[in-house]
Amino acid sequence: MNIVVLAKLVPDLVEELTIDASGAALDMTFARLIINELDDHAIEQSILLKERSGGQVTVITLDLEGADDVLFTAAAKGADRLIKIKGDFAGGVSNHALARACATIVKELQPDLVLTGVQAHNDIDGSAGPLLAECLGMPYVGYVHGIAISDGKSKVLKEYPGGLVAELDVVLPAVLGVQASEQPPRYVAVSKVRQVMKTSKIEERSASEWDANGAPIIGRMFQPEASTHATMITGNADDVATKLVGIFKEFGVL
Amino acid sequence: MSTEVVEQSFYEKVLEATPRGERLRLCLECGNCSGICPFGYLMVYPPSRLIAALRADRFEKALSTDAIWMCVSCYACTAVCPSQIPLTPGLMARTKEELLLAGNVPSELQNALANSQRYGNPLGESPRKRADWTNGISPEIKILGKTKQPVDILWFVGDYPSYHPRVQSTAKALVKILNALGVNFAILGPEESSDGDSQRMAGERGLFEMLADKNGKAFSKYQFNEIITTDPHAYNALKNEYPRLGISYPVRHYTTFLAGYLDQIKPLLKSEVKAKITYHDPCYLGRANGIFEEPRALLEAIPGVELLEMTHNHTNSLCCGGGGGGMWLDGFQWEKAHTRLSEWRVREALSVGANVLAVACPYETPRFEDAAKTVQGAAQLKVRDIAELLVEAMENERGEI
Amino acid sequence: MSQDIYVVIEHLREQVADISYVMLAAARESAQNTGGKVVAVLLGHNAKGLAGNFAADQVLYLDHSALADFNPDAYQKALTDLIGKNQPRTVLFGSTSIGADLASVLSIRLNLPLVNSCRSLSKDGKFVSQICGGKIMAEGELPAPTALVAMIPGGYKVEQGQSKQSPPVTQVDVPVLESLRVTLAKYIEPAAGDVDIAKEQILVSVGRGIQNKDNIALAEDLAKALGGVVTASRPVIDQGWLVASRLVGKSGKHVKPKIYLTLGISGAPEHVEAITDSEAIIAINTDPKAPIFDIAKYGVEMDMFDLIEVLTEKVKEAKGR
């Protein structure tokens, strides 16, 4: 089973986000990047599949801040090949450009399955998974939380709102957008990652094309103003409880 | 991996990383450790059984259970071992390390460890905001990265005093005391990372070394005579572990430091604090480092205070449950025990007739306050750090010193 | 080529999803700029009846057995054909398990620009999208001549997309839908015998702040006293402390109760989008800066554990028990 995982580095929301001087993009001076949480799930899912039925896992990411750590951590979990795509990303990264650049590399790898997180919080021009799928001419199913492979075929569990799940048969090779790995992403001890850094190699590839066509042009970025704020109820627990009962009565609930 | 190889390599790790780790081989299987362990009855493999498993080539069985995460690294076992085996830092920390390497770690703890690595604190707060608690304090607190002058004392503030809303009060209280005594101090602010001691005791030796390395580099940039810590865990790390990594500075816990100033402090304690106070000996100040009397001396100096001792005090103090990763295993430990060590301790405080539970460790204030909410009859029990009580005695009704 | 705004209707097992109406409302606003019609695109099998309350000028209905249930491959093929032929001004998709499987694929296949995570389309031809966990808004001109837009809820109320007058339905030809690479094997129902939280009037919702499974009993006592039901945000469900059918949020259910009382929920966008139709949101949280206070009607900055039991008692008293 040859599995490829596309991992994205996205702005870390723990840090304050500000808009740059142009007014239309994020100020990256103090922003830090972190692996997209759902891509971490995709990596975990790929390792689980490898542990179950053997095979090889390749993880690809762009050469941005933190890329090496993402790749070595994946290797410490069991990933076999690590690929870093180099290029000039100063102008920002659009998923359309990312998908096209990755497609060239992924085609060579001839995977049976491509996994990536179903979405990321900065997906202004769509999600990397389905964009990549179409660039590769592969079928795509998103919101997947379970994958079973047998005889070159796959059964996937797709989540719908309200707890409903659909079991789908998907022809391989395919791209799947992971909503949750079957087990939460495993922990890797710092010492293990350090060990792996000595033995694993990161392959560097250049982005042969960087075509962002398809992404919208952003005229302005801004922080939303809270248009309203809740009326705060104050006092000790007793006061607050009394006032809340009053509100419940107002709404005809009591 | 054959069990023999696991056992041998485990012994080697213990020997390599813990002073007197070779004493592990002198275990008498007396069971004192498992008996005194507060969660021993739930651990499936409490210390003596863990050693027995090692000897019987059944260590991998121990590693397949997650119950060992009940250990709160409180040093109770280490304190009573007749063979003086360093059970807590040697056996328990090493076993947790094996569990971590095998991926057998509860997700709550996982997050705290990942946060420590990424943000330099287990709470997942931005490192750039580590000194935000000092905003608005006058006179302005010196942050070494900005002032760059030599100072007498480098105050290692710690994760919870920096970021946790309840514990920031302790930090602010200590500021008032240091200023009243005219101490020339500064803090590292955003350059400070978690001391890493609890993470080390939770099995993440690599993470500990990484954090120590960062702190060591920050220390080396500045000139100061001594380090004081708010947190006994930080004190333990800086005194006993960092020197082995080549980072060695004189260090005291703030209670020992202030006890040295007792003659100057006493005249400042003008307001009466009429309270029946009982002092909880923190594991890492008391049992682990032998500091019992200085904190009590500070409390006894406060006018109006009646100091009471709980049944478990000094060397057999009861852990609050926060050590060894316990601070980040509440959900997990609750599922297994349906009781909390902090609740047990709060009941002890009540039974001795105290109305104030005095603490000296940042983990304890939030833990005991939470416990006081759920224990019957504890609603009126106040939890205060020694620094906060001193300031209460220093201030008049208008809050001025 | 037209100035029409197409809305790809989302439906599952004979229920039209709320996002469809939100999109119709957005399309109505956008059509005021383009001058075109609001056209609902309904794909399904024997599903014509679903179009009864669409606030649209027209419904294009594609009927085929392969479209009976959502199938990304089949829907992509049918839409490629339709959009390719008609070249509307804009096509709206839901940013959901249905729409997100379509929009990006079609963007590449049809070589059309895609605006994602869009909250509103204005009368002056602009889009406003919400990204970075709700912390950043991005605005721009709607790309021309044809734009694909994936929408999130929050900018419009469901009622704005509903109408008492049924729009005219035109059935259109469907291309060949064979050799599909994805097929539906079966549905797996959520936990049986549980309540439908989307129909409840009073919800007591717990977040990470509840800390552990045992504390949920406190929320259940309060809910019971009020005559309501306990729901939760994702972290609580992921821990297995409540069944998935109690999940309120993007990947759970959208709810519209009279009272939505939150305990320890911070207010992340994925949760908030599912509760904006509540009559009154009452938020209890220790963090005064929690985003939930920006959308709640009433807020209490307090530790929920200090309040729950007292509140439950007072509610019981008020009910005369």
Side-chain angles (χ1 to χ4, degrees), chain A residues 97-173:
Chain A
L98 174 63
R100 289 180 185 117
C102 281
T104 325
I105 299 170
V106 174
K107 275 183 193 145
E108 283 173 32
L109 298 169
Q110 296 187 307
D112 300 300
L113 188 60
V114 178
L115 298 181
T116 191
V118 67
Q119 62 192 0
H121 63 62
N122 63 346
D123 279 349
I124 185 70
D125 67 324
S127 295
L131 292 168
L132 176 61
E134 190 61 14
C135 289
L136 293 167
M138 291 184 192
Y140 173 78
V141 178
Y143 294 82
V144 168
H145 73 218
I147 306 172
I149 314 276
S150 63
D151 304 323
K153 285 194 282 209
S154 72
K155 263 198 192 304
V156 313
L157 296 178
K158 180 183 171 65
E159 277 185 24
Y160 284 112
L164 180 68
V165 172
E167 191 188 277
L168 303 167
D169 291 309
V170 184
V171 154
L172 295 179

Side-chain angles (χ1 to χ4, degrees), chain B residues 24 26-36 46-49 51-52 55 76-85 87:
Chain B
L24 198 58
L26 299 176
C27 171
L28 306 170
E29 286 295 341
C30 68
N32 272 8
C33 50
S34 304
I36 203 163
S48 58
R49 192 155 184 242
I51 297 177
R55 290 176 173 179
C77 52
T78 311
V80 298
C81 175
S83 295
Q84 291 165 18
I85 304 168
L87 289 165

Side-chain angles (χ1 to χ4, degrees), chain A residues 12-16 30-35 65 69 184-194, chain B residues 97 100-101 103 105 107 110 113-114 117-119 124-129 204-207 209-210:
Chain A
D12 189 342
L13 299 182
V14 164
E15 305 290 347
E16 297 273 338
F30 292 114
R32 289 182 64 194
L33 297 179
I34 191 172
I35 185 175
E65 174 226 329
D69 190 58
R186 65 196 64 188
Y187 184 75
V188 197
V190 168
S191 54
K192 207 165 177 191
V193 178
R194 287 195 159 162
Chain B
E97 185 169 9
L100 261 179
L101 288 169
V105 46
S107 52
Q110 214 170 289
L113 295 174
Q117 189 185 347
R118 188 171 172 81
Y119 304 110
E125 299 282 347
S126 164
R128 292 172 57 208
K129 296 188 178 166
E204 248 291 20
R205 176 119 208 133
L207 175 58
E209 286 174 1
M210 196 184 100

Side-chain angles (χ1 to χ4, degrees), chain B residues 247-267:
Chain B
I247 305 162
S248 188
Y249 295 90
V251 58
R252 279 189 280 178
H253 182 252
Y254 88 84
T255 50
T256 323
F257 177 76
L258 291 181
Y261 279 82
L262 208 45
D263 290 335
Q264 283 105 301
I265 292 177
K266 280 191 184 151

Side-chain angles (χ1 to χ4, degrees), chain B residues 3 6-7 10 29 42-71 91-92 94-106 332 336:
Chain B
T3 53
V6 167
E7 193 203 310
F10 184 82
E29 286 295 341
L42 290 168
M43 218 176 281
V44 184
Y45 283 90
S48 58
R49 192 155 184 242
L50 206 48
I51 297 177
L54 268 171
R55 290 176 173 179
D57 274 347
R58 286 157 102 101
F59 194 57
E60 89 280 13
K61 275 202 146 218
L63 292 182
S64 66
T65 165
D66 62 1
I68 295 168
W69 289 108
M70 295 307 288
C71 166
L91 179 68
M92 298 317 285
R94 282 288 146 268
T95 305
K96 289 179 188 176
E97 185 169 9
E98 292 303 316
L99 289 169
L100 261 179
L101 288 169
N104 182 353
V105 46
F332 171 85
K336 288 219 190 286

Side-chain angles (χ1 to χ4, degrees), chain A residues 226-247:
Chain A
S227 49
T228 55
H229 195 270
T231 305
M232 299 306 283
I233 302 173
T234 52
N236 61 27
D238 221 70
D239 298 332
V240 170
T242 309
K243 289 177 193 169
L244 284 176
V245 166
I247 292 170

